[in-house]
């Protein structure tokens, strides 16, 4: 994104590949802040054993005194409800939140978002991120480094996540890319 955009005063964006250590790094940043932490979990509860195990692993890795809020589609609303001065909010992660919009379960009443609806959701999230006080850490996957995926749904998902990542990175004064557990400063 080349347009000049306002930035959130204390927004850190953490990117990395699958199992890169990005969540552990982001959790470390939250713990080091010395502030009370609220963890906004974007993973939908699943009947799949593998996904349940992933969620359990993430829950077990977080300190017990952190508040956890399960976020549905309304990430901007959850941020408005939890972010405040003298507090740290950790959002983990944007790809699972995006999946809830573009690839919801078959029984979801609204179905997948069309392009216009999704753009409105992203605009609302961006406006919310730059308007809030407090420390915000947002985690996402960088999935645009591999092959072009087969199938229109998967290509749309990769494209939209790439655009979402660019939008959040443009707003964040600090962007870190985690590779093999090692954070690299990309911005700030």
């Amino acid at each position: 994104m080349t347009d000049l955009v306002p930035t959130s005063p204390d927004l850190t964006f953490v990117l990395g590949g699958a199992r890169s250590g990005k969540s552990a790094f982001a959790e470390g940043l939250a713990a080091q802040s010395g502030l009370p932490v609220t963890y906004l979990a974007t993973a939908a509860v699943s009947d799949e054993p593998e996904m349940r195990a992933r969620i359990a692993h993430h829950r077990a890795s977080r300190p017990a005194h952190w508040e956890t809020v399960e976020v549905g589609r309304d990430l901007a609303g959850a941020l408005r409800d939890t972010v405040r001065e003298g507090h740290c909010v950790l959002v983990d992660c944007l790809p699972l939140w995006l999946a809830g919009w573009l690839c919801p379960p078959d029984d979801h009443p609204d179905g997948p978002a069309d392009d216009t609806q999704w753009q409105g959701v992203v605009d609302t999230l961006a406006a919310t991120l730059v308007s809030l006080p407090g420390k915000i850490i947002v985690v996402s996957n960088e999935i645009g480094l591999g092959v072009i995926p087969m199938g229109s749904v998967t290509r749309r998902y990769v494209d939209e996540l790439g655009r979402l990542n660019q939008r959040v990175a443009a707003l964040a004064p600090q962007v870190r890319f985690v590779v093999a557990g090692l954070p690299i400063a990309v911005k700030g």
Side-chain angles (χ1 to χ4, degrees):
M1 182 164 218
T2 58
D3 297 342
L4 293 176
V5 293
T7 59
S8 175
D10 202 355
L11 172 61
T12 301
F13 190 39
V14 178
L15 292 159
R19 294 291 173 249
S20 65
K22 64 189 175 300
S23 291
F25 174 72
E27 290 168 5
L29 289 177
Q32 291 168 10
S33 75
L35 301 170
V37 176
T38 299
Y39 186 101
L40 298 184
T42 63
V45 177
S46 174
D47 291 334
E48 296 176 10
E50 182 268 341
M51 190 60 173
R52 282 198 318 262
R54 284 177 179 264
I55 292 170
H57 170 75
H58 275 275
R59 284 180 180 153
S61 72
R62 294 191 296 265
H65 63 276
W66 286 8
E67 178 186 5
T68 297
V69 176
E70 306 266 336
V71 177
R73 284 184 160 189
D74 190 12
L75 178 56
L79 284 163
R80 284 189 300 272
D81 290 345
T82 57
V83 174
R84 58 193 174 278
E85 197 65 50
H87 196 84
C88 178
V89 173
L90 171 56
V91 177
D92 197 359
C93 65
L94 292 183
L96 291 173
W97 176 67
L98 171 64
W101 279 98
L102 299 188
C103 311
D106 292 335
D107 61 350
H108 194 281
D110 297 327
D114 63 25
D115 290 342
T116 301
Q117 182 185 21
W118 174 244
Q119 188 57 54
V121 169
V122 172
D123 289 345
T124 299
L125 176 64
T128 300
L129 285 170
V130 298
S131 70
L132 297 172
K135 182 172 191 59
I136 304 170
I137 302 166
V138 178
V139 178
S140 189
N141 284 38
E142 179 53 66
I143 61 172
L145 300 173
V147 298
I148 296 172
M150 298 295 289
S152 61
V153 172
T154 308
R155 279 192 302 276
R156 179 180 184 218
Y157 179 85
V158 170
D159 290 348
E160 293 304 333
L161 183 57
R163 289 183 189 106
L164 178 60
N165 286 347
Q166 289 180 53
R167 186 86 180 261
V168 175
L171 299 174
Q174 296 184 71
V175 178
R176 301 294 180 262
F177 185 66
V178 181
V179 179
L182 302 172
I184 301 166
V186 176
K187 180 181 175 186

